[in-house]
Amino acid sequence: MQDVPSIPYTNLPDLSDSERIARARSFYLDMASRRSCRMFSDKPVPREVIEQAILAAGTAPNGANHQPWHFAVISDADMKHRIREAAEVEEKAFYAGKAGQEWLEALAPIGTDEDKSYLDIAPWHIVVFGQRKGGIEPGEKKQNYYVTESCGIACGLLLASLHKAGLATLTHTPSPMGFLREICNRPGDEKPMMIIVAGHPAEDATVPVHATKKKPLEQISSWF
Ligand code: IYR
């Protein structure tokens, strides 16, 4: 390693191995109870919850620590409605055949369609943009690296934080989603990655059983 300004690595708790296993299992069980929600309540959620979740997202490992992301956070009803209308235009074409038969068949057990009324109802939209150009200091236009990977990890942390805060979430990815750049007033070198919809589930909310079935460890890992 090159000699760069450094601080001691002292921020991890001193746990026993059994405590480590218990914590890892507890986190797994908590995350396993997360469900993608498509039936939201309009019950408000304090802005501070969203702020803390975005701060958590902003700790994600990323390319050259350029932190190549921007979160456009929307509670304004008119803006949410504009997003809904634009998303539904794309989704209508998608479900009318643009997706292709194989994709539509894959989605059939989830029961999704072009009706995105939850975008009006949920209190918060967090639109995640990946920054192709940036750097660390405001206004810099350096090349950014691993933008997709970095933003993917950040979105994972954002979803985990919101779930830990007792909120329902949905990763919504209308395709194409260039309209998000215009609505959120973001520059052309930013790529909309996804909308994370957050709020409380509707009282009668349900989730498709299909989405609750997760692959077992043997199927998702190999050990050497
Ligand atoms: N964006 C569409 C379709 C969709 C695609 C996948 I892959 C999903 O896992 C779920 C939905 C929609 O939101 O309906």
Side-chain angles (χ1 to χ4, degrees):
M1 290 289 286
Q2 301 288 313
D3 189 15
V4 294
S6 300
I7 55 167
Y9 196 143
T10 54
N11 48 347
L12 292 178
D14 185 18
L15 305 175
S16 66
D17 280 346
S18 60
E19 180 63 9
R20 264 183 253 292
I21 294 164
R23 285 203 188 193
R25 180 159 177 77
S26 160
F27 184 71
Y28 154 58
L29 290 173
D30 193 357
M31 295 316 296
S33 74
R34 186 198 55 79
R35 304 278 176 255
S36 289
C37 180
R38 294 182 174 84
M39 300 175 193
F40 282 91
S41 142
D42 62 1
K43 184 177 164 186
V45 167
R47 173 184 164 129
E48 287 77 3
V49 181
I50 310 298
E51 288 177 352
Q52 297 306 312
I54 290 172
L55 286 168
T59 69
N62 66 87
N65 201 30
H66 284 196
Q67 301 158 65
W69 39 61
H70 179 86
F71 302 92
V73 189
I74 299 156
S75 62
D76 178 79
D78 287 341
M79 239 169 122
K80 287 191 292 186
H81 189 63
R82 284 173 63 203
I83 291 177
R84 173 189 173 178
E85 296 222 297
E88 285 184 338
V89 168
E90 303 300 354
E91 300 289 9
K92 271 192 192 106
F94 177 92
Y95 286 99
K98 201 178 127 198
Q101 197 191 335
E102 186 175 1
W103 197 346
L104 292 178
E105 276 172 16
L107 291 178
I110 307 178
T112 50
D113 60 22
E114 66 272 18
D115 175 4
K116 303 302 176 194
S117 41
Y118 54 74
L119 291 173
D120 273 331
I121 299 166
W124 294 100
H125 296 185
I126 305 167
V127 186
V128 184
F129 292 88
Q131 299 180 318
R132 295 191 189 91
K133 300 276 177 193
I136 299 182
E137 299 306 326
E140 279 183 339
K141 285 284 167 214
K142 292 182 180 160
Q143 182 62 42
N144 282 338
Y145 306 96
Y146 298 106
V147 174
T148 305
E149 294 82 350
S150 302
C151 289
I153 301 168
C155 288
L157 292 180
L158 185 52
L159 291 164
S161 169
L162 293 168
H163 177 69
K164 279 281 191 186
L167 292 180
T169 50
L170 176 69
T171 52
H172 180 45
T173 52
S175 167
M177 35 185 167
F179 67 85
L180 291 168
R181 212 184 281 118
E182 281 93 76
I183 294 178
C184 301
N185 203 18
R186 298 308 302 169
D189 54 10
E190 289 190 2
K191 180 180 185 307
M193 313 291 295
M194 65 181 74
I195 308 170
I196 294 183
V197 187
H200 295 279
E203 268 182 33
D204 56 353
T206 58
V207 292
V209 172
H210 174 81
T212 67
K213 292 181 184 152
K214 299 302 175 194
K215 294 179 180 177
L217 187 61
E218 305 72 57
Q219 203 180 335
I220 63 171
S221 62
S222 49
W223 303 67
F224 303 96

